[in-house]
C-alpha cells in the first residue's frame, strides 16, 4: 500500500511503526524516515492498526486480532449476567432455525463483557460451524480472559488440534475483517 496516499489523509503529526520499528514520521505534510513507497516489499500484505498518535503496520494477523479485541473490550461498560443468558434462551425458545438465532444472540450480547465460559455457552446455541465462528468472531473482543479462548471455547468444539487450529485461523480472519 502506498504510504503517501494513506498518510495524506491522516491528521498530522503521525508516527508510523512497522514490525515494531519506527519507519516514518510526518509533520506539516513532509515525510521523513526510512519508509519510501511501499511499506512491505513482500507479499504478506501487512495490516494497519491506527491509534490516536500512531499507525502501526504489521504482517502478524494474531497481533492485529488482539489489538482490535482490546480496543473493543476497552469500549464496553456492561457485563454479561446470568439473567441475560436466561432472557436470551427465552427469546431463542421461539426460534427453530439456527440462521434466525444468530442475529438474536448477537443482539442480546452486544455491548457486554463476558468470559470464555459464557461465550462457549453462546456458541453452543447455534448448530452450524459457520454460525459458531461468527459468534466467536463477533464476541472475541468482549472477552475478559482471551488467554483461555482456545482451551475453554474451542476445546469443547473439537478434539482435533488441526480443526481447532483452522477454526482459530478463520476466527482471526473474521475479527480482522471487521474493520
Amino acid at each position: 500500500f502506498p504510504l503517501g496516499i494513506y498518510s495524506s489523509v491522516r491528521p498530522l503529526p503521525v508516527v508510523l511503526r512497522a514490525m515494531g520499528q519506527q519507519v516514518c514520521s510526518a509533520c506539516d505534510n513532509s515525510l521523513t524516515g526510512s519508509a519510501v513507497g511501499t511499506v512491505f516489499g513482500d507479499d504478506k500484505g501487512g495490516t494497519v492498526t491506527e491509534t490516536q498518535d500512531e499507525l502501526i503496520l504489521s504482517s502478524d494477523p494474531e497481533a492485529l486480532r488482539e489489538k482490535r479485541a482490546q480496543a473493543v473490550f476497552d469500549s464496553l461498560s456492561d457485563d454479561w449476567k446470568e439473567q441475560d443468558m436466561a432472557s436470551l434462551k427465552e427469546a431463542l425458545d421461539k426460534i427453530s432455525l439456527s440462521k434466525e438465532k444468530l442475529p438474536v444472540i448477537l443482539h442480546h450480547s452486544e455491548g457486554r463483557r463476558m468470559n470464555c465460559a459464557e461465550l462457549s455457552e453462546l456458541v453452543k446455541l447455534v448448530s452450524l460451524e459457520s454460525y459458531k465462528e461468527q459468534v466467536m468472531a463477533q464476541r472475541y473482543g468482549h472477552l475478559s480472559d482471551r488467554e483461555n479462548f482456545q482451551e475453554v471455547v474451542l476445546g469443547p468444539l473439537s478434539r482435533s488440534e488441526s480443526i481447532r487450529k483452522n477454526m482459530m485461523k478463520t476466527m482471526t480472519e473474521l475479527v480482522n475483517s471487521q474493520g
Side-chain angles (χ1 to χ4, degrees), residues 73-106:
F73 187 80
D74 291 345
S75 72
L76 302 175
S77 58
D78 293 329
D79 291 324
W80 183 254
K81 298 177 181 73
E82 285 184 37
Q83 60 262 36
D84 294 323
M85 181 57 93
S87 171
L88 173 60
K89 285 183 176 180
E90 185 179 316
L92 293 177
D93 283 343
K94 303 169 189 154
I95 302 170
S96 58
L97 295 176
S98 197
K99 72 178 183 178
E100 294 173 358
K101 290 180 179 183
L102 179 63
V104 174
I105 293 168
L106 295 176

Side-chain angles (χ1 to χ4, degrees), residues 98 102 119-120 122-138 153 157 167 171 174:
S98 197
L102 179 63
L119 176 60
S120 183
L122 291 179
V123 169
K124 291 174 185 174
L125 296 174
V126 291
S127 55
L128 294 176
E129 184 176 319
S130 63
Y131 296 151
K132 291 178 186 296
E133 289 170 345
Q134 287 181 44
V135 171
M136 289 186 288
Q138 293 284 325
V153 180
L157 296 178
M167 289 180 86
M171 198 273 309
L174 288 169

Side-chain angles (χ1 to χ4, degrees), residues 12 17 27 36 38 46 49 53-54 64 68 71 78 85 89 93 96 102 109 114 120 126 145 158 164-166 171:
L12 300 175
R17 296 191 184 278
C27 294
V36 177
T38 304
T49 304
D53 301 317
E54 296 181 328
L64 177 62
R68 288 181 182 218
D78 293 329
M85 181 57 93
K89 285 183 176 180
D93 283 343
S96 58
L102 179 63
S109 59
M114 60 185 66
S120 183
V126 291
D145 59 343
S158 175
R164 288 193 310 265
K165 198 174 197 178
N166 282 337
M171 198 273 309

